[in-house]
Amino acid sequence: MNSVTALKRGIGAELYKFRRTFILWFLLLAPAFVPFINLMIFVKKGHELLGPDENPWERLVQLSIEPGNFLFTFFVMIVALFVSSIEHNSNTWKLIYTQPLSRLVVYTSKVVVFALMLLFSLLLFSVFTVLVGLLLKVMMPDLGFDQAFGIGLFFQLAIKIFLTTLGYASLQFWMSQRWKNLLLPLGIGIGGWISFLILSQGWKYVEYHPYGFPMLGLGNYQDPAYEWLSELKFVYRSVGLAAVVFVLAGLDMVRKRVV
């Protein structure tokens, strides 16, 4: 069995494992939360919310990205726990490692599925947000959602958030794989996020805090001249950290003794 075939089998086994679990519903419903709230806000108070000559799409971006980016941090922590919880709860690590797949393939499959879950949810979040705007365009045409706007910005920001998230996501993934006590990585993750919020008030090295990469990396996306490829240093730092952590975690898992 070549490596590509083995990886496909490993990924298929990981996806099959989640087919009757809450995680699939979580991946579908969680991205709809903020767009649904925004839909209710615009329906109820759309006219009060928008200023004269304001493009409602720009306000929708603001009301979507800021809370969505904040909540996504906790979403990552929960997904990281779900990826490992089945093996931990049922104590099936020995069974997993008796498959006709190498430990490296098993580990790589988990990493790929974890990353795909995050990317899928972010893209789905963008789709739901765009659908909210299009729905309001039909339901309440007087709000002005027929104005020109680059809808692709939603998906560009989603990809950028995904890349800047990989840094701390890799830490959450490793901790969730390493420790059976699932509250420990969750607590550390929340502590990491809170520490960033505190240190962002004045610490000059806060730009190196991995839990802050998504927020710092977005830049001023409300600027009409905004370029989504700006502030790429946070993307590089996040992807670089993720590469190091995933490799080290992989070595740890490959050498791990299961008792």
Side-chain angles (χ1 to χ4, degrees), residues 77-105:
M77 298 176 194
I78 294 173
V79 173
L81 292 177
F82 268 119
V83 171
S84 307
S85 62
I86 293 180
E87 284 85 359
H88 285 316
N89 292 338
S90 57
N91 198 25
T92 56
W93 282 111
K94 284 186 178 180
L95 179 61
I96 292 295
Y97 289 143
T98 59
Q99 296 182 83
L101 299 172
S102 68
R103 286 193 174 195
L104 180 60
V105 169

Side-chain angles (χ1 to χ4, degrees), residues 33-242:
F33 177 72
V34 173
F36 177 76
I37 296 298
N38 286 335
L39 177 62
M40 296 297 100
I41 291 175
F42 274 97
V43 169
K44 296 292 184 180
K45 297 185 176 181
H47 296 94
E48 303 175 19
L49 190 65
L50 299 173
D53 302 323
E54 181 180 2
N55 190 324
W57 283 103
E58 296 177 357
R59 180 54 65 91
L60 182 60
V61 171
Q62 179 185 0
L63 293 177
S64 301
I65 298 301
E66 291 183 4
N69 199 14
F70 176 83
L71 294 173
F72 189 64
T73 304
F74 302 97
F75 177 87
V76 171
M77 298 176 194
I78 294 173
V79 173
L81 292 177
F82 268 119
V83 171
S84 307
S85 62
I86 293 180
E87 284 85 359
H88 285 316
N89 292 338
S90 57
N91 198 25
T92 56
W93 282 111
K94 284 186 178 180
L95 179 61
I96 292 295
Y97 289 143
T98 59
Q99 296 182 83
L101 299 172
S102 68
R103 286 193 174 195
L104 180 60
V105 169
V106 172
Y107 171 77
T108 304
S109 300
K110 289 181 178 294
V111 172
V112 171
V113 170
F114 174 60
L116 289 177
M117 285 178 173
L118 301 183
L119 179 59
F120 171 78
S121 294
L122 282 170
L123 293 177
L124 193 59
F125 173 79
S126 300
V127 170
F128 286 148
T129 303
V130 171
L131 289 177
V132 166
L134 297 177
L135 186 59
L136 289 169
K137 177 181 177 181
V138 175
M139 294 174 53
M140 306 179 69
D142 52 329
L143 288 180
F145 275 93
D146 57 344
Q147 297 183 47
F149 184 79
I151 292 178
L153 177 63
F154 289 102
F155 298 94
Q156 292 170 348
L157 292 177
I159 294 175
K160 194 169 189 180
I161 291 174
F162 168 72
L163 293 175
T164 52
T165 293
L166 286 177
Y168 76 82
S170 63
L171 295 172
Q172 293 298 140
F173 178 84
W174 172 74
M175 289 186 290
S176 299
Q177 291 282 305
R178 191 69 179 82
W179 296 320
K180 188 173 183 179
N181 184 352
L182 301 183
L183 291 179
L184 188 56
L186 182 61
I188 294 176
I190 294 175
W193 173 235
I194 293 175
S195 69
F196 163 71
L197 295 179
I198 295 174
L199 295 173
S200 64
Q201 302 303 312
W203 191 45
K204 63 178 180 179
Y205 297 114
V206 71
E207 66 176 26
Y208 295 99
H209 198 303
Y211 287 84
F213 291 160
M215 184 173 293
L216 298 173
L218 279 181
N220 186 15
Y221 59 88
Q222 300 181 53
D223 187 340
Y226 175 75
E227 293 288 340
W228 78 286
L229 292 177
S230 62
E231 301 293 345
L232 286 181
K233 61 182 179 180
F234 296 105
V235 173
Y236 299 147
R237 290 170 186 172
S238 176
V239 174
L241 175 61

